[in-house]
Amino acid sequence: MSLEERVALITGSSRGIGRAIALELAKNGCRVALNYFNAGPNEKEAREVVELIKENGGQAEAFSADVTQSHEVEAMARQVIEHFGRVDILVNNAGITRDSLLLRMKEDDWDRVLETNLKGTYNCAKYVLKFMMKQRYGRIVNIASVVGIMGNAGQTNYAASKAGVIGFTKSLAREVASRNITVNAVAPGFIDTSMTGELSEDARQVLLRQIPLQRLGTPEDVARLVGFLVSDYAAYITGQTIAVDGGMVMN
Ligand code: NAP
């Protein structure tokens, strides 16, 4: 799975699944551009990941941007190119939830989730693709969710955003295949991160009953699939949505 000489930009990589993806790609020899959102604790966390990668002999740098803001994303893409000279891999991982039943859902909760999860994916793909097209090489992985495939009560905004990411993935894969750029989506099930950390013990038990492998996933379970999809082993795979969910969704 060697990624020597490759450069990857991973959004929302100060913690959770994004952090695990950054560490996995670095382990495979990739130079890693981390992205964090808020200045403050997340910058510190992102810099800790940078240091961890460097301590293990890798190369990494952290870049700030709110993925919902196109001018910030454009500036980040430029900074990554200035720093590393190229960008081969984009992982659109940044994402949020703002859950409630539709009748109680505030317009701002709808907008914020769609802006982060779907428009953020559009912004990052657009500004990074410019460089990939010139290089005639690229690997884009969009982090969707099984909720975008099967739906989930209380998550109409999140499900719509992740189903949108899946449609976006298929269309973009068709647009850029002739330039040797693959675009795939990964659909995690329930993964043990701060996003699922607030579940009560009862809710956790109900969830576990839906998972044939009978455990929540780890960020590393997702990261290893991403590591495969951005490697040369996956050169002939594009436009796919691959679930990593302990068997929740079986196609
Ligand atoms: P997490 O621990 O809450 O991390 C989310 C990351 O996204 C954070 O680093 C956060 O940065 C970043 N982010 C949020 N808004 C951003 C913005 N506007 N600009 C840049 N970065 C932003 O969540 P996670 O569980 O690792 O989730 C990662 C991805 O996996 C998300 O797309 C999520 O929808 C998807 N997913 C998760 C699960 C699960 O069970 N955990 C299941 C399916 C799919 P800050 O720290 O700065 O806020």
Side-chain angles (χ1 to χ4, degrees):
M1 300 259 200
S2 174
L3 298 172
E4 297 289 339
E5 303 307 315
R6 301 281 189 226
V7 174
L9 169 61
I10 304 148
T11 65
S13 43
S14 61
R15 59 192 167 95
I17 293 172
R19 178 182 189 274
I21 294 169
L23 294 175
E24 174 71 18
L25 300 196
K27 198 179 78 189
N28 296 342
C30 195
R31 292 179 283 163
V32 175
L34 290 112
N35 157 250
Y36 61 93
F37 175 21
N38 302 319
N42 300 324
E43 177 173 3
K44 188 168 163 272
E45 286 180 349
R47 301 225 173 270
E48 281 167 8
V49 184
V50 168
E51 286 316 309
L52 193 56
I53 290 172
K54 287 183 175 167
E55 278 165 24
N56 288 307
Q59 292 181 49
E61 192 48 77
F63 302 88
S64 159
D66 176 351
V67 296
T68 69
Q69 302 300 311
S70 56
H71 62 281
E72 291 188 28
V73 172
E74 189 176 11
M76 174 174 67
R78 232 183 299 111
Q79 288 162 15
V80 171
I81 297 287
E82 275 164 24
H83 187 84
F84 288 111
R86 55 187 294 124
V87 59
D88 305 285
I89 296 163
L90 168 67
V91 183
N92 279 308
N93 167 78
I96 59 166
T97 51
R98 294 279 185 276
D99 299 349
S100 67
L101 296 173
L102 183 71
L103 289 182
R104 282 192 224 131
M105 188 175 288
K106 296 190 182 75
E107 195 175 335
D108 185 57
D109 293 336
W110 176 270
D111 289 344
R112 194 68 202 154
V113 167
L114 269 289
E115 275 166 20
T116 305
N117 301 1
L118 189 53
K119 190 177 176 199
T121 298
Y122 153 84
N123 278 336
C124 296
K126 188 169 171 180
Y127 290 109
V128 168
L129 250 181
K130 249 172 62 178
F131 299 101
M132 289 181 173
M133 297 288 264
K134 282 190 205 136
Q135 288 170 186
R136 292 188 166 265
Y137 179 88
R139 296 272 182 272
I140 298 177
V141 177
N142 299 320
I143 307 298
S145 167
V146 289
V147 168
I149 300 170
M150 58 192 273
N152 195 22
Q155 291 197 308
T156 50
N157 50 358
Y158 186 72
S161 73
K162 294 301 190 178
V165 165
I166 292 170
F168 175 91
T169 299
K170 293 176 185 174
S171 300
L172 186 61
R174 290 184 188 277
E175 282 185 24
V176 299
S178 65
R179 298 291 181 111
N180 195 24
I181 299 168
T182 66
V183 189
N184 290 289
V186 163
F190 288 94
I191 309 299
D192 210 353
T193 68
S194 56
M195 195 174 265
T196 46
E198 286 159 19
L199 290 174
S200 67
E201 192 46 39
D202 282 356
R204 199 169 262 257
Q205 290 308 321
V206 171
L207 261 180
L208 284 175
R209 285 200 284 276
Q210 299 173 44
I211 305 173
L213 284 176
Q214 297 183 334
R215 66 169 176 88
L216 263 64
T218 64
E220 291 71 27
D221 287 325
V222 181
R224 283 188 285 264
L225 173 58
V226 175
F228 167 70
L229 285 173
V230 301
S231 76
D232 288 345
Y233 290 118
Y236 200 52
I237 300 174
T238 196
Q240 304 303 310
T241 299
I242 303 176
V244 50
D245 64 351
M248 282 177 77
V249 173
M250 294 191 185
N251 291 311

